[in-house]
Amino acid sequence: MPDGTHTTIGQPAIRIDGRAKVTGMARYASDEVVANPAHAFLVTSAIARGRVRGFRLEAARAVPGVLDILTHENVGGEAEKPQPMSGGDTTTTLESDRIWHDGQIIALVLAESFEAAREAAHKVEVDYEAETPAASFGSPGAEEEVREAGEHKDYKLGDAAAAFAAAEVKVDARYGTPTQHHNPIELYTTTCEWRGGKLTVYESSQFVYGLRASLAKQLRMDPGDIHVVSRFVGGAFGSRGGITARTAWVAVAARRLNRPVRLVPTRDQGFTIVTYRAETRHHIQLGATRDGRLTALRHEGWEVTSRPSQYNVSGTETTARIYACPNILTKVNIVHADRNTPGFMRAPPETPYMFALETAMDELAVSLGMDPVELRRVNEPERDPATGKPFSSRSLMPCFDQGAERFGWKRRNPSPGAMREGEWLVGWGCAAAAYPANIGPAACRVTLTAEGRARVQIAAHDIGTGAYTAIAITAADRLGLELGQVLVELGGTELPAAGLAAGSSHTAGICNAVAKACEGVRQRLAQAAVTSNEGKLAGLDPASLTLSAGALRGPGGAAEALPKALARAAPGALEVYAENIPQGLPPESIGKVYQGQMAMSRGHSREDATTYTFGAQFVEVRVHELTREIRVPRAVGAFAAGTIVNPLTAYSQYMGGMIWGIGAALHEATEIDPHAARYVNDNIAEYLIPVNADVRSIEVIMVPEQDSQVNPLGIKGIGEIGIVGMNAAISNAVWHATGRRIRELPIRIEDLL
Amino acid sequence: MRPFSYQHPRSTMAALALAAQHVARPGEARRPAPARYLAGGTNLLDLMKIGVDHPATLIDIAALRQEHGRIEADESGLSLGALVRMAEAAEHPAVLRDYPAIAQSLQLAASQQLRNMATLGGNVLQRTRCNYFRDPSWPACNKRMPGSGCAAMQGVNRRLAVLGVSEHCIAHYPGDFANVLAAFGAELDLLAPDGTARRIPFEELHRLPGGTPHIETNLQPGELITGFRVPAGPWTRRSLYLKIRDRDSYDFAQASAVVGLDLQDGVVREARIGLGGLVAKPWRAHAAEAALNGQRLDRAVAEAAAAAAFQDAVTHGENAFKPELGRRTLVRALLQAAAMEA
């Protein structure tokens, strides 16, 4: 901890909203009560490319209870397409007859009941003018272009091509990762209600101000006339980061009917009406000296996106700065196909790109005859290799060492296939994990009441991460209160603005804002106390006073109970509003958040330092000698992420990332029909994620780390890093078990037969 | 919602009488609206919700558990009522002791919640998981719409069948338990709507797709499955069900094998072999049995039997790996069964 005075920060605490969640009291978006809602059901396209020539709606309209059917023909002009958080332009829905992808929204059926709407939607007949679609990489008609620098950077240091050509030891390999979908338990619901000219939107979101801003633009409204409510979020993982097309059409529907409208899409519609993790391809060339020092690193990526979008994740911004290397060259290409626009999904850049780099590093270790952990040690850089800036803190090797110790790595026989247990081949693999320590501006209001309780108001988002609790912990810590004395209000545009809950930036952004507002409270109380004519604290230096254990305290033990200190400063309640602008961002950046724009200080683009979280992951796999199914009996992850606000939820989040990593490496893939460019396994019976039986021992080590440079509270963020090294650690373990190097995910039985 | 009528008769005779109303009589031109028996509902209700099955009438046979919900075992064999829950059979002491392959095939299927609902009669009629069949927005599916074609052959077919397929359909039978019934030479008890009882070999319940993949069974209209009879043999006790899948629970088989052995001094007197996960219908591998009978069971013999089992396999792109996986699964199961204490 930077100042060593924390009380509740760093102490494990159960979720303050846990009871509400497990008793059903927590209201998710579609639980919010609106009067007499009509129900919407989506009609989505059954072709991936072409036009809607027309609809035959008689049978659908004849279903009892049907109120209206929205298509491009009757409402196309009433809304514009949404503005994604990244990648520029995107596809349309009801704005025109154009079909860009499978499962595109082409109509909304509105009815008195969900069942009637669904039944009528099934009876909507569509005449298509179909064109031959391109599904993905290599499909005829897919268009490839080099991604220009702009939103993302490329790196060119030295002469990577010449250094690679001259290298003593080389790895030259190609890698691939599949399409993946988030499938949060809470479906992608939207409820809209108009009152006069004002609109309330109930929708699960990772950025309520962003949703409001885009929606205002789409509906040509004043953002101040829109209220977005998202108190609880039933899983997000990036899928609720940007607004998608459905929201505006539900608003249009509610306006047409003059009645609230609720949309609850189906699970399979969730595969095409929001974003997803696009498939990627990679070419990596590593050159090294005989003693393992990297001399060349080239990483070229290819990413699929929709026809109009430039969305890409460019994980080369991370892979260029993990290891010391004098010659680095990165490049990213985007491939346009007839697909919906992809978007954020847990560690969007690092999950695919670090799979490629960290598998290549394992291949290099094998070529060198070197232990993979030692190879990382040899290539540990003193400064950010891509920019020459210092790291604000970097604990990669402590993570490797503590993880290796716990895992028992030194007992590993390095030869592939050498370790067995009965009929099972045993493999041990490891990989580095890294994720930028990002932070955004945020505003916050803290009210201290006469009873000595605090209310914290901030339009932050608890996407299952424990944000409610982290905020309460921070406020309690800074105000000297018990956790139970803090009331937290989140998730609505009536509250002071906070940014996108993504990029592992949210805890840092919101907790620093809360701490700043609490500091404002302390200053007001201190000022009143020291300038008073009476009391134990009169005349003291206000900066020397602290809030702890329900009292305002001075240096020599002088203390005044909080109610008394408060009464002196404010006879009713004391309210402080504060805005926190992270280091390196301009003051107006908080205004951008209020306007719903991205304003994030990113770990790889700060002026003063490169700020990154690091980790090391170790995995044991078992592969059956005959039938080759792959199981993961244990995994160890060690992470150093600065201040850990709540070790209990942090453990869960790391563990959840690692479990997801098992799924990403071995199970998850959205299968696309190569001819029709349509998703096939769009359900969670066949889109596999790990079940309990697949998750045996998961151990998390939180390596202590202090970083006073990254932000005042020293929080680096933990949301994504748990998944980052798992893909490669598992593929490396599979190699160690079998001698087979599988460079495309997911790794399945057939890859090892 | 799509309207349907729901009936819940109190007796078998009442259920059959209801079913009879939906069966066309000889010479009658009117085609009656289809009816379905509803048991656990774990498959049928799904298919109705996703628009694949559209019965006009559901005849809920839950009340018939009194008549068809028993498990009885004696020296001659095992009788399983059609309305026995999967979980009940999986946990029954006699099944666990004397028919381990049956217990395992049920334990390894679905989830506990589903096994608590699903019945044995419904389980054997579980329909394919071919996604092109299960999503009516795909225009080409000969099983769903006869004559429309088969999108799966050139498409995503990693989970689909390689044994018993035709040029019209490569859908797989996804279940587990039925493969054991086929391997063990079980029989099936049926009641026609007019009350006529018949008993047929379980292997004759399902049909190969051939040119009519939309006709999946040899059940007569309105016929009700009332139970299963599994004859006891030395192979039922020395038996196992090996299920290979991508994840460790709650997943359909990529390949599975039933092995039952009558083994004396290492020599196979009689083998019962079934296959699953890659078959068009519940599958007894007669050729593999023939390759084993009279042989000393070692790795080479097991491999020869596995080769025989898959000699007629036909693959389509993605599922090209399945014969090899199927062979290995059978070899592993054979060696494991040979090593059993029985």
Side-chain angles (χ1 to χ4, degrees):
Chain A
M1 310 300 146
D3 60 6
T5 62
H6 291 309
T7 53
T8 54
I9 289 180
Q11 297 304 312
I14 61 167
R15 292 168 192 261
I16 62 170
D17 53 334
R19 190 182 181 85
K21 283 183 168 172
V22 298
T23 56
M25 293 298 289
R27 274 193 195 164
Y28 291 81
S30 61
D31 301 328
E32 298 277 3
V33 177
V34 293
N36 189 29
H39 297 266
F41 198 93
L42 301 175
V43 178
T44 58
S45 67
I47 64 166
R49 182 184 170 101
R51 290 184 185 280
V52 176
R53 202 181 277 141
F55 294 92
R56 286 193 300 278
L57 302 176
E58 299 73 25
R61 287 193 200 285
V63 172
V66 168
L67 301 167
D68 199 356
I69 299 175
L70 275 51
T71 70
H72 71 274
E73 292 169 356
N74 57 10
V75 298
E78 292 189 30
E80 290 166 17
K81 62 185 165 182
Q83 180 64 45
M85 296 309 301
S86 175
D89 200 7
T90 189
T91 54
T92 55
T93 51
L94 302 191
E95 298 91 307
S96 79
D97 61 353
R98 173 86 186 258
I99 290 172
W100 302 87
H101 63 85
D102 165 41
Q104 176 185 312
I105 298 170
I106 54 174
L108 274 80
V109 178
L110 307 171
E112 293 288 351
S113 70
F114 172 83
E115 289 77 11
R118 178 176 62 181
E119 171 62 3
H122 285 155
K123 292 190 166 166
V124 169
E125 292 176 59
V126 188
D127 291 325
Y128 294 108
E129 190 178 299
E131 299 165 26
T132 305
S136 184
F137 298 121
S139 300
E143 300 165 294
E144 180 175 325
E145 62 176 314
V146 176
R147 192 269 292 125
E148 299 297 333
E151 199 175 331
H152 298 288
K153 290 181 188 137
D154 299 310
Y155 298 102
K156 185 176 190 308
L157 275 88
D159 187 344
F164 179 74
E168 293 171 350
V169 182
K170 299 177 191 186
V171 170
D172 187 341
R174 291 175 182 273
Y175 305 86
T177 64
T179 307
Q180 295 177 340
H181 279 80
H182 317 75
N183 287 310
I185 289 294
E186 185 191 10
L187 295 166
Y188 298 109
T189 78
T190 300
T191 302
C192 287
E193 179 176 34
W194 291 87
R195 283 195 186 153
K198 295 188 192 296
L199 171 64
T200 301
V201 179
Y202 302 96
E203 184 177 307
S204 234
S205 173
Q206 291 172 258
F207 191 14
V208 289
Y209 273 89
L211 196 149
R212 181 179 82 155
S214 176
L215 191 59
K217 208 167 161 192
Q218 291 175 259
L219 297 172
R220 301 167 205 114
M221 288 175 65
D222 178 344
D225 289 336
I226 299 177
H227 181 201
V228 176
V229 178
S230 171
R231 306 295 181 210
F232 293 94
V233 180
F237 318 115
S239 67
R240 308 187 202 272
I243 188 171
T244 56
R246 70 186 193 275
T247 313
W249 298 121
V250 176
V252 167
R255 190 164 58 194
R256 274 170 76 90
L257 294 184
N258 194 25
R259 169 177 179 185
V261 172
R262 172 162 294 158
L263 168 69
V264 180
T266 61
R267 176 63 64 189
D268 62 315
Q269 288 171 345
F271 279 75
T272 60
I273 66 166
V274 299
T275 62
Y276 62 100
R277 191 197 295 285
E279 54 267 52
T280 67
R281 297 288 179 268
H282 306 262
H283 182 204
I284 289 205
Q285 292 178 318
L286 297 179
T289 61
R290 285 255 170 256
D291 57 2
R293 281 176 295 117
L294 286 172
T295 55
L297 189 165
R298 294 174 75 181
H299 191 166
E300 181 169 4
W302 288 261
E303 305 182 30
V304 163
T305 186
S306 65
R307 290 288 177 188
S309 170
Q310 296 287 316
Y311 182 84
N312 68 96
V313 298
S314 287
T316 42
E317 289 178 306
T318 287
T319 58
R321 46 179 36 102
I322 306 298
Y323 299 116
C325 182
N327 301 292
I328 297 174
L329 185 65
T330 70
K331 183 182 175 188
V332 173
N333 311 282
I334 49 186
V335 175
H336 298 277
D338 297 300
R339 299 282 294 277
N340 50 323
T341 302
F344 311 135
M345 186 159 150
R346 205 168 198 172
E350 286 73 15
T351 300
Y353 279 75
M354 285 291 279
F355 162 65
L357 176 67
E358 288 298 288
T359 307
M361 285 295 282
D362 200 69
E363 298 190 53
L364 181 61
V366 172
S367 297
L368 290 161
M370 198 168 180
D371 183 87
V373 175
E374 293 315 303
L375 178 62
R376 269 78 176 189
R377 196 184 313 280
V378 165
N379 287 291
E380 180 68 3
E382 287 187 14
R383 304 173 81 82
D384 179 345
T387 60
K389 287 178 194 161
F391 286 101
S392 65
S393 57
R394 179 177 164 115
S395 306
L396 178 61
M397 289 322 298
C399 290
F400 263 112
D401 290 339
Q402 292 186 34
E405 175 66 25
R406 177 74 63 89
F407 188 80
W409 184 254
K410 65 172 184 276
R411 298 196 307 275
R412 177 179 183 259
N413 181 332
S415 301
M419 294 170 67
R420 288 180 76 98
E421 191 167 308
E423 297 175 1
W424 295 85
L425 308 172
V426 176
W428 288 3
C430 69
Y435 196 85
N438 305 320
I439 181 169
C444 173
R445 186 183 303 114
V446 172
T447 308
L448 198 62
T449 66
E451 302 80 39
R453 291 171 178 272
R455 183 167 66 157
V456 184
Q457 294 170 303
I458 178 168
H461 316 83
D462 191 331
I463 58 175
T465 50
Y468 273 104
T469 312
I471 287 169
I473 287 171
T474 304
D477 190 272
R478 302 286 81 187
L479 297 173
L481 299 175
E482 303 285 326
L483 209 51
Q485 294 173 306
V486 183
L487 175 75
V488 181
E489 293 177 23
L490 302 186
T493 51
E494 79 284 5
L495 301 171
L500 178 67
S504 298
S505 69
H506 211 49
T507 303
I510 62 182
C511 289
N512 276 293
V514 171
K516 190 169 180 187
C518 292
E519 170 60 12
V521 171
R522 188 200 67 80
Q523 284 175 10
R524 293 271 297 275
L525 295 176
Q527 199 61 40
V530 300
T531 55
S532 168
N533 292 328
E534 43 92 32
K536 297 173 197 159
L537 304 173
L540 292 174
D541 173 8
S544 70
L545 303 193
T546 58
L547 285 167
S548 68
L552 185 64
R553 295 172 196 275
E560 201 161 66
L562 202 52
K564 191 165 181 191
L566 177 64
R568 190 175 277 124
L574 174 58
E575 185 175 288
V576 171
Y577 169 86
E579 296 174 344
N580 184 57
I581 315 292
Q583 162 89 29
L585 289 181
E588 59 269 25
S589 59
I590 186 68
K592 288 179 78 174
V593 177
Y594 272 101
Q595 289 157 27
Q597 297 168 27
M598 282 273 262
M600 200 183 281
S601 160
R602 306 187 69 94
H604 42 62
S605 52
R606 277 171 63 150
E607 287 298 316
D608 59 332
T610 295
T611 61
Y612 258 73
T613 305
F614 290 93
Q617 295 179 288
F618 296 82
V619 170
E620 175 173 324
V621 303
R622 306 256 168 133
V623 179
H624 192 271
E625 60 176 357
L626 261 183
T627 45
R628 312 306 264 187
E629 68 270 37
I630 308 161
R631 300 292 180 253
V632 181
R634 64 193 185 105
V636 172
F639 310 95
T643 301
I644 301 299
V645 177
N646 184 355
L648 189 64
T649 47
Y651 197 101
S652 288
Q653 214 170 352
Y654 284 134
M655 182 169 64
M658 291 175 69
I659 291 169
W660 195 342
I662 293 172
L666 300 177
H667 303 130
E668 283 190 58
T670 313
E671 315 273 4
I672 186 163
D673 184 278
H675 309 288
R678 302 187 62 204
Y679 296 136
V680 174
N681 58 335
D682 52 358
N683 62 75
I684 46 178
E686 276 120 1
Y687 180 93
L688 298 187
I689 56 172
V691 294
N692 283 337
D694 296 300
V695 182
R696 303 297 168 117
S697 168
I698 304 280
E699 282 188 88
V700 173
I701 301 168
M702 288 182 250
V703 175
E705 186 183 64
Q706 285 190 18
D707 187 335
S708 54
Q709 186 174 10
V710 64
N711 56 61
L713 289 176
I715 298 167
K716 288 171 100 178
I718 60 171
E720 340 256 332
I721 193 167
I723 191 176
V724 171
M726 289 298 285
N727 278 335
I730 289 173
S731 80
N732 296 340
V734 167
W735 172 84
H736 183 234
T738 64
R740 303 280 277 273
R741 182 65 72 178
I742 309 303
R743 300 186 182 89
E744 276 201 42
L745 300 180
I747 303 172
R748 287 169 163 170
I749 292 167
E750 56 264 43
D751 298 313
L752 303 176
L753 285 175
Chain B
M1 62 191 285
R2 198 176 282 117
F4 60 89
S5 99
Y6 171 81
Q7 311 280 347
H8 48 108
R10 297 290 161 203
S11 71
T12 301
M13 291 322 290
L16 295 174
L18 281 166
Q21 297 171 11
H22 296 273
V23 177
R25 290 177 192 81
E28 190 178 44
R30 185 181 67 92
R31 191 161 166 249
R36 295 259 187 278
Y37 292 116
L38 172 68
T42 56
N43 191 214
L44 176 58
L45 299 184
D46 265 7
L47 293 168
M48 290 170 67
K49 285 180 195 168
I50 62 180
V52 172
D53 204 350
H54 313 94
T57 298
L58 289 183
I59 303 170
D60 187 337
I61 54 173
L64 279 53
R65 261 174 70 79
Q66 294 290 336
E67 296 165 80
H68 309 299
R70 280 189 294 278
I71 301 174
E72 285 163 2
D74 59 26
E75 306 80 57
S76 69
L78 174 69
S79 295
L80 297 166
L83 288 169
V84 169
R85 308 280 185 202
M86 288 173 75
E88 292 172 320
E91 292 156 17
H92 193 275
V95 178
L96 285 164
R97 185 183 63 239
D98 298 331
Y99 303 85
I102 290 180
Q104 291 159 12
S105 73
L106 293 164
Q107 288 158 3
L108 295 171
S111 65
Q112 186 68 44
Q113 292 90 332
L114 287 164
R115 294 192 293 270
N116 288 343
M117 283 297 290
T119 65
L120 298 181
N123 179 252
V124 302
L125 295 178
Q126 177 176 15
R127 302 189 74 189
T128 185
R129 300 293 307 190
C130 176
N131 296 103
Y132 298 95
F133 168 74
R134 286 175 56 88
D135 180 350
S137 72
W138 288 98
C141 174
N142 287 325
K143 187 183 277 296
R144 198 166 20 83
M145 284 188 301
S148 61
C150 174
M153 291 199 186
Q154 310 293 321
V156 175
N157 57 34
R158 179 172 176 267
R159 286 183 176 269
L160 303 188
V162 299
L163 288 174
V165 299
S166 74
E167 65 269 37
H168 303 285
C169 183
I170 59 170
H172 64 316
Y173 172 77
D176 297 300
F177 168 63
N179 303 312
V180 188
L181 294 177
F184 283 179
E187 293 178 305
L188 187 66
D189 288 322
L190 301 168
L191 276 178
D194 65 0
T196 310
R198 63 174 180 138
R199 178 172 275 197
I200 63 167
F202 181 78
E203 266 200 285
E204 290 176 14
L205 170 61
H206 293 85
R207 296 163 55 110
L208 287 173
T212 55
H214 59 292
I215 306 174
E216 295 179 356
T217 71
N218 288 314
L219 293 175
Q220 298 301 308
E223 214 168 15
L224 179 68
I225 299 177
T226 56
F228 307 90
R229 175 72 187 168
V230 186
W235 55 82
T236 51
R237 191 174 262 238
R238 185 190 286 275
S239 72
L240 60 84
Y241 188 75
L242 177 64
K243 182 172 180 178
I244 305 301
R245 44 188 169 174
D246 292 320
R247 66 181 177 193
D248 218 4
S249 177
Y250 197 29
D251 194 7
F252 296 98
Q254 287 293 348
S256 67
V258 187
V259 171
L261 294 177
D262 177 2
L263 199 64
Q264 201 150 50
D265 302 327
V267 175
V268 179
R269 287 163 51 134
E270 191 165 349
R272 295 301 175 88
I273 307 296
L275 298 171
L278 36 68
V279 292
K281 58 170 261 187
W283 199 264
R284 181 170 175 181
H286 295 277
E289 292 176 2
L292 288 162
N293 291 338
Q295 301 291 316
R296 179 165 296 278
L297 182 49
D298 57 17
R299 176 92 178 223
V301 165
E303 285 175 357
F310 284 90
Q311 62 195 352
D312 296 326
V314 177
T315 65
H316 291 82
E318 277 187 3
N319 70 5
F321 73 100
K322 298 199 86 161
E324 177 61 18
L325 178 62
R327 283 189 287 268
R328 290 177 181 223
T329 302
L330 181 51
V331 168
R332 181 177 163 189
L334 281 166
L335 298 177
Q336 207 171 308
M340 274 175 76
E341 305 258 345

